[in-house]
Amino acid sequence: MQHAQEARTTSAEHEVRADLAAMPANGSPYRLGAALLESLAQEMSALAEQASALLRMPPESLSLDADIFAQIVRRNVPRWHFAMLNDTERNGNLVAALERGVPAGATVLDIGSGSGLLAMAAARAGASRVFTCEMNPLLAEVARNVVDAHGLSDVITVIGKPSTELDPERDLGGPVDVLVSEIVDCGLIGEGLLPSVRHAREHLLAPDGIMLPSAARLYGRLVNSEAVLKLNQVTTVGGFDVSLMNTLTTRSHFPVRLNTWPHRFLSEAAPVLEFDLARDALEPGERTLEFPATADGEAQALVVWFELEMGNGIVLSNSPDNPNSHWMPGWVPLEKPVLTKAGETASLRLRWSDFTLLVSL
């Protein structure tokens, strides 16, 4: 079995490399595309080597101190989990929202177990049954152990697969009463909030079920910051033009701890997106944004932040005015800089997919 798996992986890698070798070279765009595929082949090869090494090791010899364990954890478990679990404002608000929003005896589905925190908070709030799903096998196993250590395994079931693969009858015993889906990134949608809620609302939540959060909003301001711009763009170094590196820049949103870098806002804050998570279609789309300019300048990006309505007056936010949040504001690069003039309105076009935000003129 092990050798067959290794053979299949090696064969797939060789096929990718053979296909690359057979493709005609046709200038820089071709070479970049080919290099992208080769990078993917290298990643596949590294994963196959790690899997093969694990298969050769007896389970009892795999300790938490093993180098291969550390490699896999580093690759598969983002470090932001630790910052998130130390965000006292976020954790306190979420626990309070569940205490106030989960009816006694309700069944609850928590999407994205992580450490199991929200599932345990739902159980303590009075839920009779809590299901929590986690697609990362390492995190799912950690959550099971945490839940068991708190004596809650009779109430909480950790399911090791994404919510979109759940069968409501087989996995949950029927649609649930409450859906908890705090799966957001700096720009609200990057962790898959829209497709996850879209699916869960239709297939996993009872028709009169409770959504936590019930609504999500995104705000933004035009900003100028040469310092942040240089985190995602280069020109010359040591007298050499290395601007071709810009073909590898992040074109959609990414997190930035804005208060640590010099910056200047060039507009008032304005609404960017708003979703009623219980009723809206939650599909990709586009819209025009208008920002009242407050200063003359050159806007290089849109800084965005979200608000999550958790019910009973509880709102989670990563506003730039809240630097203690583990969620940083999002930086959405503009395709081209926009000149602003105080007193005038700057119009931009926003496009959003299930996972990304893009802004253009």
Side-chain angles (χ1 to χ4, degrees):
M1 174 71 176
Q2 171 190 332
H3 296 299
Q5 178 66 38
E6 290 182 36
R8 283 196 298 271
T9 303
T10 302
S11 174
E13 182 188 348
H14 287 166
E15 286 178 13
V16 170
R17 295 185 184 279
D19 289 343
L20 288 174
M23 293 173 68
N26 189 25
S28 181
Y30 155 77
R31 292 197 300 270
L32 284 171
L36 180 67
L37 293 175
E38 188 170 1
S39 295
L40 181 60
Q42 287 180 352
E43 186 176 355
M44 292 166 59
S45 178
L47 289 170
E49 289 175 4
Q50 287 184 346
S52 297
L54 283 172
L55 289 170
R56 290 192 295 268
M57 296 174 65
E60 61 273 12
S61 69
L62 183 59
S63 73
L64 300 184
D65 297 324
D67 183 60
I68 194 167
F69 183 88
Q71 291 179 42
I72 293 171
V73 168
R74 186 166 59 246
R75 183 189 294 270
N76 287 279
V77 181
R79 298 297 90 191
W80 52 255
H81 280 278
F82 297 95
M84 179 178 69
L85 288 169
N86 282 292
D87 185 338
T88 56
E89 179 182 304
R90 174 254 186 195
N91 300 333
N93 281 334
L94 284 172
V95 169
L98 291 170
E99 288 175 346
R100 300 174 193 177
V102 174
T107 57
V108 176
L109 171 61
D110 165 41
I111 298 179
S113 307
S115 65
L117 171 66
L118 299 187
M120 293 187 295
R124 190 171 66 187
S128 62
R129 201 81 182 90
V130 180
F131 301 92
T132 178
C133 58
E134 174 57 62
M135 63 187 297
N136 185 314
L138 281 171
L139 286 173
E141 189 56 32
V142 167
R144 289 189 190 99
N145 281 273
V146 171
V147 166
D148 186 60
H150 285 81
L152 291 171
S153 296
D154 57 335
V155 177
I156 300 172
T157 300
V158 180
I159 304 172
K161 55 185 174 183
S163 62
T164 51
E165 294 182 9
L166 294 178
D167 181 285
E169 298 299 330
R170 185 181 62 246
D171 294 320
L172 310 176
V176 299
D177 302 314
V178 181
L179 176 67
V180 182
S181 54
E182 186 260 17
I183 41 175
V184 296
D185 74 335
C186 65
L188 181 65
I189 64 174
E191 292 293 320
L193 177 71
L194 300 185
S196 297
V197 172
R198 212 164 53 221
H199 173 271
R201 191 178 62 189
E202 180 180 354
H203 299 284
L204 308 176
L205 183 65
D208 57 349
I210 298 170
M211 297 281 305
L212 295 175
S214 60
R217 295 181 294 273
L218 195 68
Y219 297 91
R221 293 182 76 177
L222 294 174
V223 67
N224 173 282
S225 174
E226 292 295 328
V228 177
L229 186 68
K230 290 177 181 178
L231 298 178
N232 194 45
Q233 189 180 103
V234 294
T235 52
T236 59
V237 179
F240 298 101
D241 182 352
V242 293
S243 60
L244 276 176
M245 278 290 293
N246 293 334
T247 58
L248 308 180
T249 59
T250 299
R251 301 183 187 278
S252 60
H253 67 282
F254 61 89
V256 60
R257 187 66 72 185
L258 193 63
N259 65 321
T260 65
W261 301 100
H263 65 277
R264 186 165 69 105
F265 286 121
L266 299 176
S267 77
E268 300 284 2
V272 173
L273 281 173
E274 184 169 0
F275 297 109
D276 181 330
L277 296 175
R279 297 179 181 84
D280 289 349
L282 307 183
E283 296 285 353
E286 59 180 83
R287 60 168 299 196
T288 298
L289 305 176
E290 294 190 346
F291 295 92
T294 56
D296 297 351
E298 182 181 86
Q300 302 149 334
L302 185 64
V303 167
V304 296
W305 62 94
F306 62 76
E307 288 182 352
L308 295 179
E309 290 282 355
M310 301 302 300
N312 296 290
I314 297 174
V315 178
L316 294 179
S317 177
N318 65 332
S319 163
D321 296 328
N322 183 18
N324 294 324
S325 171
H326 84 280
W327 286 299
M328 304 178 202
W331 175 278
V332 190
L334 302 183
E335 288 183 347
K336 295 180 180 178
V338 172
L339 296 178
T340 63
K341 186 173 180 59
E344 296 184 356
T345 298
S347 295
L348 300 172
R349 196 68 183 167
L350 169 72
R351 288 178 289 127
W352 69 95
S353 69
D354 278 344
F355 298 93
T356 60
L357 299 168
L358 294 169
V359 179
S360 60
L361 293 177

